[in-house]
Each structure stands twice: as structure tokens, then as C-alpha cells.
């Protein structure tokens, strides 16, 4: 019998990435190669039929892969994105609508408390309710020595990764009924912090604490709170981090599987946490790290 199981070391890419840099926020069309979000590979089976989802940072990268998967599983989806990412957002919205689902784009910055709060009501109004909240928006930057950590960039990391997350989660929480799910995009950096990403790693560790603490309270209401911890994933955030060409070229090669992951490889974890299949899973962090352990 022929073995049709793909080799995880080479399933998506086993070559170096071309050296490249972008400014923040990074854009999909400027990446070489473009990430795989599951556009041609993800097949749904109705696991989220009738659900209403909000995804921050949903225009590209992991957020786009989750949006595609959710739509193909039967969910209506709202995505939040920066105004500069409108092109990416339009592409993602088109992919959602191609599945016959309702799609809503919300342009703004989650560092703005008013915007990060209002997107919850706008989503619920447009979709007729809210069942799944994916807190995925993030910012990171390279630091060449701790003494060179700039206050403005430090503030942006904390305001995007923590304040924005809290604003949206706080607004969504009272609206969520039993069976609803909050999913945070954490990171392997919460457990294996890199010195050059020290502020980013700190926020990701705080996100894990958020998940564990809120899961205890939310469980009494039948609301589950979990996280996915990606390893090195090829998204627009990577060429926009400020790394050298050499660092980009070797991105992800330090994992046991020897390569970076693609956004499509995380979608299933989010679908699981959003679906009834994970009804007894709360306060957990699912590692999708290419073999790096938490």
C-alpha cells in the first residue's frame, strides 16, 4: 500500500525564505512566497454551522486562515484590521463571502479603547449575535540589545497585545452565552522567550495568565477560554519585524521539524476550540510549534 501521509518536515516548505523586509504592518502581497492560508486545502464539514465569530487581526496571516476555516465550517465572520491593511482585508472578506457566509470588515486600531470596544456591538448587530471571539491582533519588533528598547515601540507592543485584547474581551464577555468560546493567539515566546523579542514575549506570557484566570470565572457561565500558541509561522509580521535577510532566510529552521509553519496549519486548532468538540477544554494552551515544547 502506498503511504499517502505527507512528511511534516517538507509538507509546506523545506527551503529558505528569500531575504526581505517590510514596514509595519506587513502586507501579504509583498511577501515572497505568499503564505498558505488554506485557500485551496481547507475543507469544512459544518462544525461551526450558524456560529458568529469576531477575529481581530483577521485580514492576513493566522487571522485569515482562521477566517477561511470558520467560514467553510459554516460561521459568519467579522474581521478587524488596520486601515493600511484594507487590501488584505478585502481579499479575506471575499474568501468568506465565497462560502456563502456573511462577512464584516472593521477598520481601526485596537489600541483605541473606543474602537476595540465598539467592534463587539458592531459585530453582534451585523451578525445577529456573537459566539466566538478570536483575539489575534499583535505587534512585534526586533530589539538589538535590551538597552535599545524604545519606549514608543514598547508601548505599542503592550497596547496592541494586551490593552487591545482586554478592551475587546471585556466588551464581549457580557454578551456571550453558554457554549461561547474565547480564543487567544498566544505564542511559544510565552514559554521560550527570545531576548530580541523581550517585550513581545512578556505580553504573550501575560496572555496565558489571562486565559487561565478568565477560564475559571467564565466556566461558571458555560463560556470556554483557551489559547493557541504558535511557533514560527510565515505571516506578514515576520518580514515586518526588522530582522536581517539572513534571519528571515533561516526563519523556523530551529524547530524539530526544521521549518517554519504556514497559517493554514493552525486553522484546525482554532476550529476545534470554537466547536462543540472541545466542550470539556477550557483554560488550555494548544501548542502548534513545529515540535518546540512549551
Amino acid at each position: 500500500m502506498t503511504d499517502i501521509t505527507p512528511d511534516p518536515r517538507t509538507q509546506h516548505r523545506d527551503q529558505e525564505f528569500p531575504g526581505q523586509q517590510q514596514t509595519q504592518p506587513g502586507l501579504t502581497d509583498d511577501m515572497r512566497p505568499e503564505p498558505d492560508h488554506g485557500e485551496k486545502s481547507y475543507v469544512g464539514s459544518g462544525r461551526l454551522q450558524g456560529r458568529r465569530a469576531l477575529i481581530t487581526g483577521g485580514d492576513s496571516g493566522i487571522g485569515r486562515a482562521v477566517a477561511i476555516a470558520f467560514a467553510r465550517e459554516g460561521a459568519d465572520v467579522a474581521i478587524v484590521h488596520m486601515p493600511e491593511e484594507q487590501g488584505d482585508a478585502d481579499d479575506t472578506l471575499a474568501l468568506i463571502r465565497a462560502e456563502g457566509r456573511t462577512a464584516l470588515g472593521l477598520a481601526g486600531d485596537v489600541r483605541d479603547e473606543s474602537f476595540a470596544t465598539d467592534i463587539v456591538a458592531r459585530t453582534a448587530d451585523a451578525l445577529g449575535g456573537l459566539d466566538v471571539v478570536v483575539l489575534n491582533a499583535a505587534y512585534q519588533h526586533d530589539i538589538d540589545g535590551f538597552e535599545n528598547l524604545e519606549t514608543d515601540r514598547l508601548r505599542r507592543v503592550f497596547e496592541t497585545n494586551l490593552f487591545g485584547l482586554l478592551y475587546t474581551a471585556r466588551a464581549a464577555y457580557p454578551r456571550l452565552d453558554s457554549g461561547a468560546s474565547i480564543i487567544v493567539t498566544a505564542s511559544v515566546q510565552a514559554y521560550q522567550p527570545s531576548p530580541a523579542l523581550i517585550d513581545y514575549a512578556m505580553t504573550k506570557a501575560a496572555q496565558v495568565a489571562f486565559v487561565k484566570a478568565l477560564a475559571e470565572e467564565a466556566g461558571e457561565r458555560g463560556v470556554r477560554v483557551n489559547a493557541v500558541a504558535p511557533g514560527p509561522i510565515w505571516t506578514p509580521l515576520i518580514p515586518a519585524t526588522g530582522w536581517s535577510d539572513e534571519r528571515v532566510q533561516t526563519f523556523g529552521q530551529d524547530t524539530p521539524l526544521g521549518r517554519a509553519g504556514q497559517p493554514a496549519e493552525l486553522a484546525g486548532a482554532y476550529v476545534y476550540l470554537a466547536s462543540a468538540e472541545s466542550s470539556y477544554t477550557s483554560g488550555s494552551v494548544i501548542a502548534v510549534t513545529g515540535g518546540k515544547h512549551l
Side-chain angles (χ1 to χ4, degrees):
M1 180 181 293
T2 301
D3 183 5
I4 61 172
T5 303
D7 186 335
R9 298 169 299 174
T10 58
Q11 184 175 352
H12 283 267
R13 184 176 180 84
D14 60 352
Q15 304 170 18
E16 289 187 345
F17 295 105
Q20 56 197 282
Q21 288 89 35
Q22 294 190 41
T23 57
Q24 289 279 5
L27 301 176
T28 303
D29 285 348
D30 294 335
M31 297 181 70
R32 307 185 311 279
E34 284 196 13
D36 178 2
H37 308 94
E39 292 94 337
K40 297 180 180 179
S41 60
Y42 192 90
V43 178
S45 56
R47 294 158 72 190
L48 300 178
Q49 194 67 42
R51 307 282 274 177
R52 289 79 49 99
L54 171 64
I55 305 171
T56 65
D59 58 290
S60 64
I62 295 170
R64 179 184 289 186
V66 175
I68 292 170
F70 278 13
R72 292 182 182 175
E73 294 291 354
D76 295 324
V77 183
I79 62 168
V80 181
H81 60 92
M82 298 283 282
E84 305 95 309
E85 299 167 317
Q86 189 63 55
D88 275 351
D90 288 342
D91 290 344
T92 302
L93 292 168
L95 288 162
I96 297 168
R97 292 174 182 135
E99 302 305 318
R101 308 311 309 179
T102 300
L104 174 67
L106 299 164
D109 192 329
V110 296
R111 292 178 293 171
D112 180 337
E113 181 177 357
S114 176
F115 173 77
T117 300
D118 290 347
I119 57 177
V120 173
R122 292 167 64 184
T123 297
D125 289 346
L127 304 186
L130 185 61
D131 306 295
V132 183
V133 180
V134 178
L135 301 165
N136 173 69
Y139 173 76
Q140 71 178 29
H141 63 104
D142 183 59
I143 303 167
D144 184 18
F146 180 61
E147 69 276 14
N148 297 315
L149 176 59
E150 298 175 7
T151 300
D152 287 348
R153 287 190 167 187
L154 167 68
R155 184 174 288 112
R156 180 172 179 180
V157 169
F158 273 74
E159 290 181 350
T160 302
N161 301 359
L162 288 181
F163 290 13
L165 176 149
L166 289 167
Y167 297 149
T168 300
R170 182 179 62 189
Y173 189 60
R175 293 177 174 268
L176 300 178
D177 295 326
S178 59
S181 178
I182 298 173
I183 308 170
V184 174
T185 300
S187 173
V188 69
Q189 287 287 327
Y191 303 88
Q192 297 187 27
S194 301
L197 295 174
I198 188 169
D199 50 354
Y200 176 83
M202 291 170 66
T203 63
K204 292 301 174 178
Q207 288 178 354
V208 171
F210 165 83
V211 165
K212 293 181 180 296
L214 187 58
E216 286 207 28
E217 177 180 329
E220 297 178 1
R221 294 175 43 198
V223 175
R224 297 178 297 104
V225 186
N226 295 285
V228 176
I233 307 297
W234 185 240
T235 73
L237 191 62
I238 302 311
T241 293
W243 286 325
S244 67
D245 282 355
E246 181 181 2
R247 177 68 181 84
V248 172
Q249 288 168 349
T250 60
F251 178 65
Q253 293 183 12
D254 61 340
T255 65
L257 290 180
R259 65 171 176 87
Q262 292 290 332
E265 296 181 277
L266 287 104
Y270 289 83
V271 170
Y272 167 72
L273 291 175
S275 73
E277 295 170 17
S278 60
S279 57
Y280 203 56
T281 302
S282 194
S284 295
V285 181
I286 296 181
V288 187
T289 61
K292 286 191 171 187
H293 53 80
L294 304 185

